[in-house]
């Protein structure tokens, strides 16, 4: 089964992200806005208890924190993805590192950059146009991050939460 590990930001941040995602993100109906901590990976169900145990240890040893979203950016020319950039990346990077240290042997496809995708699979022209418009938008959003989620993909492509892990207060 396909799994991933993500953070869902506050409803206010999700609302802003979804105002763009419904136009620019074909995955809009499959998963709420998220910040990926571990990209999708295949895992045999017999390995699930070991992964859950590891994630519980990670959560219990990690303090909650605040995420600050400050601008719109893109991964172009690597991929035609538009995202809300996170100003304070360090807590996400540390959490990502703790998770992948024992998580899954697969290597990540890309270097880890914490972000919240608001558009993907755009043509080059559409990417330039949308990025040009959104780069002028003032982004000043915060979200308390006090949990992360192990999610799995259903046969219809929709992602569902398997388990939630609470960070230290």
């Amino acid at each position: 089964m396909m799994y991933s590990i993500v953070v869902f930001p506050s409803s206010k941040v999700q609302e802003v992200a979804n105002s763009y995602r419904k136009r620019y993100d074909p995955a809009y109906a499959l998963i709420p806005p998220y910040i990926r901590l571990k990209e999708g990976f295949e895992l045999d169900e017999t390995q699930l208890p070991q992964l859950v145990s590891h994630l519980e240890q990670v959560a219990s040893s990690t303090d909650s924190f605040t995420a600050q979203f400050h601008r719109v950016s893109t991964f172009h020319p690597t991929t035609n993805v538009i995202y809300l950039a996170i100003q304070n990346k360090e807590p996400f990077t540390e959490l990502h590192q703790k998770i992948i240290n024992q998580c899954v042997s697969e290597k990540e496809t890309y270097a880890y950059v914490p972000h919240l995708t608001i558009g993907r699979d755009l043509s080059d022209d559409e990417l330039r146009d949308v990025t040009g418009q959104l780069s002028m938008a003032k982004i000043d959003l915060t979200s308390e991050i006090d949990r992360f989620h192990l999610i799995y993909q259903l046969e219809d492509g929709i992602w569902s939460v398997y388990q939630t892990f609470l960070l230290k207060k």
Side-chain angles (χ1 to χ4, degrees):
M1 187 171 285
M2 181 66 77
Y3 293 89
S4 185
I5 302 166
V6 301
V7 167
F8 295 119
S10 68
S11 57
K12 171 95 171 120
V13 172
Q14 287 192 38
E15 193 176 296
V16 171
N18 275 335
S19 70
Y20 300 113
R21 289 182 72 228
K22 61 183 158 193
R23 288 180 280 178
Y24 306 120
D25 186 357
Y28 169 76
L30 303 177
I31 186 170
Y34 65 93
I35 301 137
R36 178 185 54 80
L37 294 170
K38 170 75 182 101
E39 64 187 47
F41 57 95
E42 289 285 339
L43 187 71
D44 186 274
E45 287 190 34
T46 60
Q47 297 174 291
L48 207 47
Q50 183 180 353
L51 174 60
V52 166
S53 175
H54 171 64
L55 295 176
E56 286 170 341
Q57 290 173 349
V58 168
S60 68
S61 67
T62 305
D63 292 327
S64 57
F65 57 93
T66 302
Q68 298 153 332
F69 301 88
H70 68 295
R71 65 186 172 89
V72 172
S73 192
T74 179
F75 288 125
H76 185 77
T78 306
T79 63
N80 285 6
V81 168
I82 299 172
Y83 61 90
L84 294 180
I86 298 171
Q87 191 165 18
N88 57 324
K89 296 179 177 79
E90 296 79 16
F92 287 102
T93 304
E94 289 171 16
L95 189 52
H96 165 77
Q97 201 57 52
K98 285 181 182 179
I99 288 170
I100 66 164
N101 276 346
Q102 293 182 329
C103 187
V104 181
S105 58
E106 290 177 30
K107 291 282 186 210
E108 300 277 284
T109 307
Y110 300 106
Y112 183 68
V113 176
H115 67 281
L116 196 162
T117 299
I118 58 172
R120 70 181 92 214
D121 302 334
L122 303 167
S123 69
D124 287 346
D125 289 341
E126 189 178 25
L127 179 79
R128 273 192 299 280
D129 183 44
V130 172
T131 305
Q133 290 173 24
L134 296 182
S135 65
M136 294 182 271
K138 181 172 172 21
I139 306 291
D140 184 17
L141 299 166
T142 60
S143 179
E144 290 303 313
I145 307 300
D146 63 357
R147 65 195 66 204
F148 62 88
H149 311 273
L150 174 61
I151 60 174
Y152 64 99
Q153 192 172 34
L154 302 169
E155 287 182 20
D156 60 4
I158 293 175
W159 289 86
S160 186
V161 173
Y162 177 83
Q163 189 166 333
T164 298
F165 302 88
L166 299 178
L167 302 178
K168 289 191 325 190
K169 292 281 181 192

